[in-house]
Amino acid sequence: LLVDSGYRVYAIDLLGFGASDKPVDEVYSIELWTELLCDFIQDKQEETNGRGWVIAGNSIGGLCSLAVSEKLPNIINGCALFNASGGMTFRIDDVPLFLRPVAFILIKLLEGPLGPIYFKNFKTRENVETILKQSGVYGDTTNVNDELLELILSPSEDDGAQDVFLKVFTGPPGPTPESLLPNISCPILALWGDSDPWTPLDSGMHPGAGFSKYANEDFQLVVLEGVGHCPHDECPEKIHDNMLPWLQRISPTI
């Protein structure tokens, strides 16, 4: 729909995810992905005749979008968030004090002998389908179909997939959204499914409902009732109904 409305769209799989390469010797982090995204945008500037960009991302991609917006203030015209995460993985500091030793031991086990076993069990079709349908990833499970499952499961068979999965799961969380938001001058649109237990709207350590306290004046939060963690796929029509007027205001043509 964005393309049909006259926008040029680049859909990027972050290094280690989806169809992208999965080098096992890389140190995966929000900072790495931010650097790669900035390089991509700057490399494509000639193709866009120097026009500004709007960057958008879901979950970890949302956090990366904020980081890119901070790094490239003269290029990024707007930033759209779809249930942005609070970090690449959980933060030890966010874990209750009495549970921190358990979290620390879990990380060490996943870095060791438990990691391959956990990955093997995690990537089964049955487990992934259960997570998507019953763990709040999708409020409306209509779009949880064979095509989606194949898109998720196929990359898990790639060379290096296990190493990348475990490195991301046990890696550094990176900057918080709250630390990035005050430094971003462009307009921000946050589209948030309110039934998402993974990146909650109004609970947890980094709730989307609290972002406005840290953001500049041009920050808009749109709550999507009954929607889960992936609103861009679960309810694309609602996403476009909110994004297109916002895009026309901040960046009429791209």
Side-chain angles (χ1 to χ4, degrees):
L1 292 177
L2 290 176
V3 173
D4 291 342
S5 299
Y7 291 93
R8 177 182 296 183
V9 177
Y10 296 96
I12 298 173
D13 285 338
L14 297 174
L15 187 70
F17 284 76
S20 288
D21 291 340
K22 299 170 180 62
V24 299
D25 56 349
E26 192 62 74
V27 179
Y28 291 89
S29 65
I30 298 296
E31 291 81 3
L32 168 68
W33 293 318
T34 299
E35 180 182 352
L36 293 175
L37 289 168
C38 287
D39 288 346
F40 176 85
I41 291 171
Q42 291 170 318
D43 185 60
K44 293 291 184 181
Q45 274 297 86
E46 286 189 14
E47 293 183 19
T48 61
N49 297 318
R51 292 172 176 169
W53 289 61
V54 175
I55 189 167
N58 168 238
S59 193
I60 290 174
L63 186 58
C64 291
S65 296
L66 288 174
V68 172
S69 300
E70 180 192 44
K71 294 285 187 183
L72 301 177
N74 297 324
I75 297 177
I76 303 299
N77 285 351
C79 177
L81 308 175
F82 313 133
N83 290 52
S85 71
M88 185 176 78
T89 184
F90 69 89
R91 301 173 186 278
I92 289 291
D93 290 346
D94 291 346
V95 176
L97 193 60
F98 70 95
L99 288 177
R100 289 182 189 178
V102 177
F104 180 79
I105 292 171
L106 175 62
I107 290 174
K108 291 303 177 184
L109 287 172
L110 289 174
E111 289 175 336
L114 185 61
I117 299 171
Y118 179 74
F119 177 71
K120 181 179 179 180
N121 291 329
F122 186 92
K123 70 171 185 173
T124 65
R125 183 184 182 90
E126 295 76 16
N127 183 60
V128 171
E129 187 170 6
T130 297
I131 291 173
L132 295 178
K133 289 184 174 180
Q134 300 179 20
S135 299
V137 180
Y138 284 74
D140 178 356
T141 60
T142 301
N143 288 344
V144 180
N145 51 30
D146 289 341
E147 181 182 4
L148 176 64
L149 288 169
E150 183 61 25
L151 282 172
I152 295 172
L153 292 169
S154 181
S156 71
E157 301 300 325
D158 292 347
D159 291 341
Q162 174 182 291
D163 297 85
V164 173
F165 175 86
L166 295 173
K167 281 189 172 187
V168 170
F169 196 87
T170 61
T176 65
E178 294 84 355
S179 69
L180 295 171
L181 284 163
N183 305 321
I184 297 171
S185 56
C186 69
I188 299 173
L189 173 65
L191 298 159
W192 217 285
D194 69 353
S195 295
D196 178 10
W198 295 31
T199 56
L201 170 68
D202 52 12
S203 62
M205 300 302 294
H206 309 282
F211 282 12
S212 61
K213 295 185 294 185
Y214 303 91
N216 61 53
E217 293 181 1
D218 201 341
F219 175 89
Q220 181 182 356
L221 172 66
V222 176
V223 177
L224 305 170
E225 295 184 6
V227 177
H229 184 64
C230 301
H232 57 296
D233 189 54
E234 181 179 339
C235 57
E237 294 82 7
K238 291 182 180 179
I239 295 296
H240 289 101
D241 287 347
N242 285 280
M243 275 196 75
L244 288 174
W246 178 76
L247 285 170
Q248 287 297 318
R249 176 174 67 85
I250 66 168
S251 191
T253 57
I254 293 182

